[in-house]
Amino acid sequence: MTGTTKHVHWASKWRCPSNIALVKYWGKRDFQKPMNPSLSFVLQNAFTETSVELLKEGEQKVEFYFEGAPSAFGDRIEKFLHTISKQMPWIHKYNFRIHSHNSFPHSAGIASSASSFGALALCITEIDFAISGREPDHPDLWLKASEIARLGSGSACRSVYPGFAIWGQTQLFESCSDEHAIMIYEGIHPAFYGLRDAILMVDSGTKQVSSSVGHELMNDHVFQRARIGQAHQNINELYLAMLTGNLESFIEVVENEALSLHAMMMTSNPSFILLKPNSLELISRIRRFRERAKIPVLFTIDAGPNIHLLYFKKNELDVKAFIERDLLEFCEDGNWIDDRIGKGPVRVVASPK
Ligand code: DP6
């Protein structure tokens, strides 16, 4: 955090990871509140790095550069700043210069809105704490950043913590909230901190269902009530499996969630089929390998055709050999991304100019 040169009043820079949901957020209520609770973990290698500089006092103006060039995403950011200015009125007083870049290619099919809004929320919350005289290491910084991130993109509120996070009210903890995510770590079986995520790229060109369209599909969905009930039950079972190290139950719930998300999309109006023949081939090969090799491998899927193959550290060599031998031929140009559970966001110290 700096209040540096003559022109820059305040500045902050953060690196924030993307995350992958095991229990899926699908459907909203009110403003950016989830229809059901979700549980995710952050990735290590897929992240966004963002710097925010407040240049001068005056009417609010936003310059947004993505990978060095002015970007249309600036409009969404402007809207976002307007939304959060209700809580942080100083926002209207400054000119913003924001630079952002991702560690992963756009075509990777990794949701960049989670890491982007996560990083931006961390920068803005840190500046807010500095302006209001609070310590930058104040424990409330994380909750506040999570809440602010949620207002930009729901899944982003789960990206500001290391490891696993839950967003949305549940029967699990009283501290679970629709307003922000909470970190979960106490009592989680150590095997889960060795989670690996091989992102198998099936089709980088396929348009994902935009999140605004996607979530709206749940508003009048014939299975809405059942889906909400299922997500609550799944999050309870998943958390219990994570405490006890019950891999069988973990696998059952995670795959059920991924397929339920797609079932919701297939049965909504309008309906979307985002899985490709190769997605299905990968799913069935993953299941067959699990049965034959007796190695715990499983899949989860976002709102797109790519398959996230999850596995555990101690099986790394066997699973990588399986990917090379049996799966890459079903990936677009043999592409896959080697990622794992991550340590969460980091503050980037600005280099002296
Ligand atoms: C399928 O967080 O992208 O990835 O709040 O509209 O920005 P907005 O939606 P977004 O939705 C993510 C949906 C999902 C499941 C999940 O990450 O939980």
Side-chain angles (χ1 to χ4, degrees):
M1 175 76 232
T2 42
T4 47
T5 64
K6 219 162 103 194
H7 305 292
V8 180
H9 288 243
W10 300 99
S12 170
K13 189 170 183 181
W14 282 83
R15 170 183 287 195
C16 184
S18 184
N19 70 76
I20 176 77
L22 299 176
V23 174
K24 308 289 182 182
Y25 148 52
W26 200 238
K28 305 189 196 200
R29 37 176 214 87
D30 305 334
F31 184 69
Q32 283 297 102
K33 297 214 175 129
M35 215 174 243
N36 63 267
S38 56
L39 188 157
S40 63
F41 66 89
V42 286
L43 297 173
Q44 181 62 18
N45 301 330
F47 58 82
T48 299
E49 205 169 85
T50 297
S51 66
V52 173
E53 293 172 304
L54 303 196
L55 287 173
K56 62 169 185 204
E57 296 201 31
E59 213 174 297
Q60 186 204 323
K61 199 179 106 208
V62 182
E63 285 172 52
F64 176 74
Y65 301 91
F66 182 67
E67 305 193 331
S71 153
F73 198 61
D75 294 346
R76 187 160 168 197
I77 295 206
E78 224 163 311
K79 237 190 235 157
F80 166 69
L81 289 174
H82 181 73
T83 304
I84 62 173
S85 67
K86 289 179 194 107
Q87 309 185 33
M88 299 177 178
W90 55 263
I91 283 179
H92 283 303
K93 291 208 301 189
Y94 288 98
N95 283 354
F96 281 68
R97 186 164 63 200
I98 303 172
H99 280 272
S100 194
H101 68 89
N102 291 343
S103 66
F104 49 93
H106 176 65
S107 58
I110 296 173
S112 61
S113 66
S115 50
S116 304
F117 279 106
L120 184 58
L122 284 158
C123 293
I124 289 177
T125 308
E126 192 188 19
I127 292 173
D128 182 59
F129 272 48
I131 287 178
S132 60
R134 277 171 291 175
E135 289 299 315
D137 292 325
H138 198 287
D140 286 356
L141 182 103
W142 307 103
L143 280 194
K144 191 70 195 166
S146 177
E147 184 188 332
I148 295 294
R150 180 199 111 229
L151 298 171
S153 176
S155 55
C157 75
R158 303 182 311 233
S159 269
V160 303
Y161 301 112
F164 299 96
I166 292 182
W167 172 39
Q169 283 181 26
T170 70
Q171 295 154 343
L172 289 172
F173 308 100
E174 264 187 35
S175 52
C176 284
S177 164
D178 288 344
E179 312 267 335
H180 56 74
I182 59 163
M183 176 168 77
I184 45 167
Y185 58 94
E186 247 166 69
I188 302 285
H189 192 282
F192 294 106
Y193 286 103
L195 261 176
R196 300 287 189 258
D197 182 2
I199 308 168
L200 306 168
M201 303 302 307
V202 169
D203 189 344
S204 59
T206 308
K207 184 112 186 63
Q208 312 227 338
V209 173
S210 81
S211 56
S212 50
V213 171
H215 292 288
E216 264 175 37
L217 297 173
M218 287 310 291
N219 290 345
D220 319 299
H221 202 295
V222 62
F223 297 140
Q224 190 201 82
R225 273 170 71 109
R227 166 60 196 150
I228 295 171
Q230 178 197 40
H232 279 273
Q233 195 177 327
N234 276 346
I235 210 164
N236 290 347
E237 273 174 38
L238 188 70
Y239 184 64
L240 187 62
M242 288 169 68
L243 290 179
T244 56
N246 184 340
L247 294 187
E248 222 170 283
S249 165
F250 181 81
I251 291 169
E252 205 175 287
V253 173
V254 171
E255 293 192 351
N256 176 262
E257 274 293 313
L259 296 175
S260 298
L261 170 71
H262 283 263
M264 289 304 111
M265 287 189 270
M266 287 183 200
T267 51
S268 52
N269 185 11
S271 120
F272 294 92
I273 302 178
L274 301 184
L275 298 176
K276 300 280 177 188
N278 281 351
S279 318
L280 299 178
E281 184 61 37
L282 289 168
I283 288 173
S284 67
R285 282 173 179 247
I286 290 167
R287 286 184 161 176
R288 240 180 307 164
F289 177 76
R290 180 164 77 224
E291 268 161 40
R292 286 207 197 125
K294 306 279 177 249
I295 290 176
V297 290
L298 61 150
F299 63 84
T300 186
I301 324 169
D302 254 343
N306 304 321
I307 302 295
H308 291 245
L309 165 59
L310 305 181
Y311 61 99
F312 296 91
K313 185 178 171 194
K314 71 173 191 158
N315 303 117
E316 184 149 17
L317 287 179
D318 287 328
V319 177
K320 281 192 168 160
F322 162 58
I323 294 173
E324 304 266 332
R325 190 183 60 235
D326 291 341
L327 302 184
L328 289 194
E329 60 184 294
F330 301 99
C331 297
E332 185 182 57
D333 304 325
N335 271 339
W336 70 288
I337 296 172
D338 187 7
D339 215 331
R340 62 182 60 191
I341 188 167
K343 296 191 173 67
V346 281
R347 183 185 280 124
V348 183
V349 182
S351 49
K353 299 217 165 101

